[in-house]
Amino acid sequence: MTNGQESGGAPGYGAAPQQNPYGQGAHAPNPYAQPVPPQQPYGRPAAASNPYAQPAADPQPVPYPRPVPPQQPDAARRPDPAARFEAAPQPGGFPGPAPRRNRAAVLLQFLLQWIYAPLWILGLVAVFVVLILADYSGGGPDSDGWVRVNRSFIPPRRLRAELTGRPEDWERYVTPLLERRIAAAEATHAAGGGTVQPDLGREVSVGLAVRLYRGLGADGVVRIAERFGWQGVPNGTDAEQVRLVRRFPAPAALAAPSPQDPPAAPGTPWGPQPTRFALLLPVVFLLQIVYVPVYGLLTFWVNHPEPDRWERWGARWTVGPRAFKAEFTNSPAAWDRHIRRILKRDATRELARPADGYGPLLAPDGTFLRRITLHRATYCGAGAHRALRIAAEEGWVLDPAYAPDPVNSLRLCRADHR
């Protein structure tokens, strides 16, 4: 017995055959009309709920918006190369290999760089010393290229690729370099970095100059980046650089107490934290005059695997004049005054920013979120929950784009309208 269709597409039971078996009709839908695309974990992220809409009634009111839990990417699944950021680039959308450099020029630069690079560094040190002694406060050049000695330096690992020009040699050089930069960018996201997107997700980016992948081309770099779940950005890539991005979804939930909850217990992540020994603070206050300048230079020149390492170090070994009294006395009233003072300062600065500067974060109705951050040194002795209660009095709530990290900082937001 047939199921209603014979071979060749003719209907059974003696009915007249259809003229167009794949046309849109009432009897049979077109199986090739709009296939359901497979879900891509690194394509466009799932749209989160509108953070500016009024929340529905809840037995336990929450003072901050909660986004809809987005689809989490499957770490075990290798990203589909066809899934690209925003518009999928057409073939040839990324520049290919750049012209090969002259071998003699490459060898000459490699030999001479061991002479001029140290002299260049000594010259920079001399310039900075002169500027400090002269109390120079004028403007500098628009670009910092004259400071970056490494831009004209050919490491031995790249010399072979420069001389042979073979794509496989360039790929062997670029792959570990790109892997390190991607790992550093993802660590930055884990520490709270990245650019907030309209759906409350965050985007981190990596850029490579053409000198680092000359014989491979931007298309080859994008192909390597896709192995790590990253995508190339055609509109941010040109003949001089390639730009790679990865989007991370917003946290599924904010595991944090409400400002109306009872105070958190001391020693817990949201409660008061132990402060430094009171008699040690005057010593730290005086010694930091000597080592804070060195600390500032290290934060500029030395990249640490933990992006917030220097910030945590500064919170431990420095003390500001405004926080000195609060930490020295460890009085709840002094901590409250300090929190309110810092909150007012940062909020005033943020509220002074024009709404047009938020760009794509503006909702269609002109609503957007203003953001500030309170560091641990601001509320250490009072606790993050106490700082959250004080901030809630001024309309500031936990930022739903970040996972709460009360031990180190409080990221707050407040809805505003243009």
Side-chain angles (χ1 to χ4, degrees):
M1 179 179 293
T2 61
N3 59 358
Q5 288 187 349
E6 301 292 344
S7 60
Y13 305 108
Q18 297 180 0
Q19 297 299 326
N20 183 5
Y22 303 113
Q24 298 291 344
H27 299 285
N30 184 357
Y32 305 101
Q34 291 183 355
V36 179
Q39 185 174 0
Q40 300 294 344
Y42 302 110
R44 290 185 178 180
S49 60
N50 186 356
Y52 315 111
Q54 294 296 329
D58 193 341
Q60 295 181 355
V62 180
Y64 44 83
R66 295 190 181 212
V68 174
Q71 180 69 27
Q72 296 293 336
D74 186 0
R77 179 180 177 183
R78 182 174 177 177
D80 186 358
R84 295 292 177 88
F85 175 78
E86 293 297 339
Q90 301 299 324
F94 294 98
R100 182 179 173 184
R101 294 184 59 191
N102 182 272
R103 291 185 178 181
V106 171
L107 286 174
L108 183 62
Q109 179 181 349
F110 181 78
L111 295 176
L112 293 180
Q113 69 185 6
W114 305 101
I115 300 175
Y116 70 74
L119 296 178
W120 192 341
I121 296 175
L122 291 176
L124 290 176
V125 173
V127 169
F128 282 117
V129 171
V130 171
L131 293 179
I132 293 174
L133 296 178
D135 195 19
Y136 178 75
S137 59
D142 296 333
S143 173
D144 62 347
W146 62 282
V147 182
R148 306 291 182 178
V149 185
N150 59 313
R151 294 184 180 178
S152 62
F153 195 85
I154 301 178
R157 296 187 305 274
R158 200 173 82 211
L159 179 63
R160 176 183 176 85
E162 290 274 12
L163 293 178
T164 64
R166 294 196 296 262
E168 55 270 23
D169 291 336
W170 277 102
E171 184 168 352
R172 279 193 292 268
Y173 168 71
V174 172
T175 300
L177 172 65
L178 186 60
E179 184 176 3
R180 290 193 300 270
R181 296 203 177 187
I182 284 177
E186 292 179 351
T188 301
H189 170 268
T195 304
V196 179
Q197 302 300 305
D199 60 357
L200 299 182
R202 281 182 288 146
E203 177 186 283
V204 290
S205 62
V206 167
L208 287 182
V210 68
R211 69 177 185 276
L212 302 176
Y213 62 88
R214 179 179 301 276
L216 187 61
D219 52 353
V221 176
V222 172
R223 174 172 46 82
I224 297 174
E226 288 173 346
R227 304 173 190 171
F228 304 97
W230 286 61
Q231 309 298 330
V233 184
N235 58 6
T237 300
D238 52 31
E240 298 299 327
Q241 68 170 354
V242 59
R243 182 169 176 258
L244 309 168
V245 300
R246 182 176 180 181
R247 281 188 173 184
F248 292 85
L254 299 180
S258 169
Q260 291 78 23
D261 290 345
T268 60
W270 289 92
Q273 301 296 319
T275 57
R276 290 172 287 189
F277 185 50
L279 297 180
L280 180 64
L281 292 179
V283 179
V284 173
F285 187 79
L286 294 176
L287 290 181
Q288 68 183 6
I289 300 175
V290 178
Y291 59 71
V292 161
V294 180
Y295 157 77
L297 291 175
L298 289 176
T299 58
F300 179 79
W301 288 101
V302 180
N303 293 325
H304 199 275
E306 300 177 6
D308 57 347
R309 173 62 179 268
W310 293 117
E311 182 178 326
R312 297 184 182 185
W313 188 92
R316 181 177 181 181
W317 296 105
T318 62
V319 55
R322 296 180 177 180
F324 184 87
K325 181 178 181 181
E327 192 168 1
F328 186 81
T329 62
N330 203 23
S331 167
W335 279 111
D336 278 12
R337 286 192 297 269
H338 180 58
I339 294 173
R340 295 180 188 277
R341 183 166 53 241
I342 299 300
L343 179 65
K344 181 180 179 180
R345 182 199 66 184
D346 294 349
T348 302
R349 185 183 305 162
E350 175 65 17
L351 294 174
R353 291 181 56 190
D356 295 338
Y358 290 84
L361 297 181
L362 287 171
D365 61 351
T367 305
F368 62 99
L369 291 178
R370 295 188 180 272
R371 291 180 164 90
I372 61 174
T373 300
L374 295 181
H375 297 287
R376 180 179 184 272
T378 303
Y379 57 81
C380 175
H385 187 251
R386 178 58 184 168
L388 183 62
R389 298 184 66 175
I390 295 175
E393 297 174 2
E394 302 296 330
W396 295 92
V397 297
L398 286 177
D399 195 334
Y402 300 87
D405 186 19
V407 177
N408 296 303
S409 64
L410 276 181
R411 296 182 179 272
L412 307 172
C413 67
R414 192 173 89 172
D416 201 349
H417 193 275
R418 181 171 59 177

